[in-house]
Amino acid sequence: MMYHPKLAITTTVVLQSIGSIASGFAYFSSNGLRNTPRCCHPNRRSSLIRLITPITALRLLPINDDHSLDRKERIQSLLDEYAAATPQVDRQSDVTKYGRGDMHLSADISEGDVVAYQSGTWYVDGSEVGDGSDPTIRYCLVDTIQIVWTHDCEHGVIRGFELDVENDSTGDTVVERGSCFVVNESEYVDIGPEQLLAKIPTIRDTATELIILLVTFDPAPID
């Protein structure tokens, strides 16, 4: 029988999901619903779903099986697949969705998300922090989130891998739709929640490991 990698991945995810669901029911049997984690943010997945659904299942994305497509055509094919979903950039500056505490953008991100953050110099409650250099936009592939949220503040750190914009020789802060991020595995960064600017919609092509931007991202203005 011919080995089909996509079928193998699907089978693995199904088995992981069954095992995770069983673990979830075991958790509730021993702890009861009264101990169910509370979802901090109205736009966030429910805590129950996050408990019983493996990250692998959430991150798998359908890809075009035609490996004869060249790189540019492949990226365009993936963009077309997700165009109907009308993806949006989630910005901390959007006061209609985000604020402080458990309404902060940091409460609405997950491991595997791509985020934009500010380095150099930034402000926390009106006080200047950082190294004093000019503000710079950088990108990160989130690996772990260790933050405590209260009703009006957030404390902790987001850790992940630095992302470089592929072939970005212009220094332009605007990243165009269809651009690719390259994971810099040698740069593991710590980000404070106050540095977080936006969560950026991307897809990860499981065949080429490309991280592709689904929308044009303009971080300006930097506050």
Side-chain angles (χ1 to χ4, degrees):
M1 180 182 294
M2 182 176 294
Y3 173 74
H4 197 299
K6 198 167 185 182
L7 177 60
I9 292 173
T10 302
T11 303
T12 301
V13 172
V14 169
L15 292 175
Q16 287 178 331
S17 299
I18 292 172
S20 297
I21 291 171
S23 299
F25 282 121
Y27 173 88
F28 289 115
S29 296
S30 60
N31 293 277
L33 290 176
R34 66 181 180 279
N35 293 326
T36 303
R38 180 176 65 90
C39 181
C40 302
H41 193 281
N43 294 326
R44 203 174 187 184
R45 301 183 188 94
S46 72
S47 298
L48 173 59
I49 295 299
R50 295 195 65 187
L51 174 66
I52 67 175
T53 306
I55 292 175
T56 307
L58 294 175
R59 293 295 153 201
L60 275 179
L61 297 168
I63 61 174
N64 194 316
D65 283 328
D66 186 358
H67 294 280
S68 65
L69 293 176
D70 66 21
R71 177 189 168 97
K72 185 175 181 180
E73 290 173 330
R74 185 175 182 79
I75 291 174
Q76 188 58 54
S77 176
L78 289 166
L79 292 174
D80 291 344
E81 286 185 35
Y82 289 87
T86 60
Q88 303 278 334
V89 174
D90 292 317
R91 298 177 184 269
Q92 173 60 30
S93 59
D94 183 356
V95 296
T96 65
K97 292 178 64 177
Y98 299 108
R100 297 297 305 272
D102 60 9
M103 291 295 293
H104 194 267
L105 176 61
S106 59
D108 196 27
I109 62 174
S110 303
E111 293 86 354
D113 283 340
V114 171
V115 298
Y117 70 99
Q118 189 168 319
S119 66
T121 302
W122 62 95
Y123 292 86
V124 178
D125 297 328
S127 299
E128 182 178 305
V129 295
D131 60 16
S133 61
D134 292 337
T136 303
I137 302 300
R138 300 174 74 177
Y139 302 95
C140 174
L141 178 64
V142 177
D143 184 39
T144 63
I145 302 167
Q146 296 175 313
I147 297 178
V148 174
W149 299 273
T150 67
H151 69 287
D152 64 351
C153 61
E154 52 286 331
H155 300 284
V157 64
I158 301 161
R159 293 188 171 93
F161 294 97
E162 188 77 10
L163 292 175
D164 299 319
V165 181
E166 190 176 54
N167 300 325
D168 182 19
S169 59
T170 64
D172 192 352
T173 56
V174 176
V175 186
E176 298 293 335
R177 177 176 181 265
S179 297
C180 296
F181 288 111
V182 179
V183 179
N184 187 344
E185 296 185 356
S186 65
E187 291 291 332
Y188 197 73
V189 296
D190 291 354
I191 305 168
E194 69 279 357
Q195 294 176 258
L196 201 59
L197 296 177
K199 178 174 68 172
I200 305 172
T202 61
I203 53 174
R204 188 161 190 164
D205 182 351
T206 54
T208 63
E209 291 301 309
L210 294 174
I211 299 176
I212 306 166
L213 192 64
L214 288 173
V215 296
T216 296
F217 176 68
D218 184 355
I222 301 175
D223 295 325

